[in-house]
């Protein structure tokens, strides 16, 4: 899991370093926070193509992914782009989790949630995570990677210890 990839320096670092790291460490699946790929704010189609040459993987987004106008690479256009699940379902493009197959054949689920402290008002990530894990457990592969995008450590700690079964 790669944190924020920011602008041209981040894209260039991914292009330069990721293929060798994948080979060296036999990495079968990569996720990256892609919300700041386009000039440090947002994600466009052209930037997505450049920054995710990883073969098996996906981008998870947070609050900054809506920052580009014109050519946004929205989560409704590519199954490898996940927006926070707790953005809701009505009138919100894309999806908050995805099922993928890693290079070694392992089925992997990536779940994306966003906190609310110092963020835009959205659905409760704790109850959304519980609902997804309870109601969708059969649809989710057993290997589950969770990105929780938030601003404060206490919210991250609470999410990990309550919503994810800790």
């Amino acid at each position: 899991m790669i944190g924020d990839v920011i602008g041209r320096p981040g894209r260039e670092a991914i292009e330069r370093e990721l293929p060798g790291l994948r080979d060296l460490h036999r990495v079968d699946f990569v996720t990256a926070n892609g919300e700041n790929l386009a000039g440090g704010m947002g994600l466009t189609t052209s930037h997505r193509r450049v920054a995710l040459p990883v073969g098996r993987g996906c981008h998870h987004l947070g609050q900054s992914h809506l920052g580009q106008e014109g050519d946004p690479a929205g989560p409704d256009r590519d199954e490898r782009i996940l927006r926070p699940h707790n953005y809701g379902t009505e009138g919100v493009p894309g999806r908050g989790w995805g099922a993928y197959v890693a290079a070694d054949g392992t089925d992997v689920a990536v779940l994306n949630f966003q906190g609310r402290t110092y963020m835009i008002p959205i659905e409760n990530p704790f109850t959304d995570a519980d609902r997804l894990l309870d109601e969708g457990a059969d649809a989710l592969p057993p290997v589950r990677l969770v990105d929780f995008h938030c601003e404060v450590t206490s919210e991250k700690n609470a999410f990990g210890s309550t919503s994810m079964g800790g």
Side-chain angles (χ1 to χ4, degrees):
M1 293 189 92
I2 300 171
D4 286 339
V5 180
I6 301 175
R8 179 180 293 164
R11 295 189 311 267
E12 290 174 353
I14 292 292
E15 290 176 318
R16 182 181 62 248
E17 301 296 330
L18 187 56
L21 289 171
R22 287 183 60 120
D23 291 343
L24 178 66
H25 298 289
R26 298 187 314 222
V27 175
D28 293 313
F29 191 81
V30 175
T31 71
N33 184 324
E35 69 177 350
N36 295 306
L37 282 167
M41 180 66 82
L43 173 65
T44 66
T45 302
S46 61
H47 291 119
R48 182 200 73 234
R49 286 188 195 122
V50 170
L52 195 59
V54 297
R56 306 284 180 148
C58 69
H59 282 302
H60 41 90
L61 308 174
Q63 84 282 6
S64 299
H65 77 280
L66 302 173
Q68 288 290 328
E69 294 183 23
D71 181 28
D76 57 333
R77 298 187 184 171
D78 189 326
E79 68 180 23
R80 298 182 308 160
I81 300 174
L82 301 174
R83 50 101 173 139
H85 189 273
N86 56 316
Y87 267 31
T89 56
E90 301 279 328
V92 179
R95 59 203 177 111
W97 71 274
Y100 307 94
V101 179
D104 70 351
T106 301
D107 291 326
V108 177
V110 179
L111 295 76
N112 186 10
F113 298 94
Q114 180 176 306
R116 299 194 303 181
T117 305
Y118 306 125
M119 300 274 209
I120 62 171
I122 55 176
E123 300 297 321
N124 184 326
F126 296 89
T127 56
D128 267 22
D130 288 343
R131 189 176 312 112
L132 176 61
L133 292 171
D134 289 344
E135 295 173 6
D138 292 338
L140 294 172
V143 175
R144 300 167 183 174
L145 303 175
V146 178
D147 172 59
F148 185 56
H149 188 89
C150 69
E151 295 293 328
V152 294
T153 305
S154 58
E155 190 173 25
K156 203 170 280 245
N157 288 338
F159 186 79
S161 66
T162 58
S163 294
M164 295 296 116

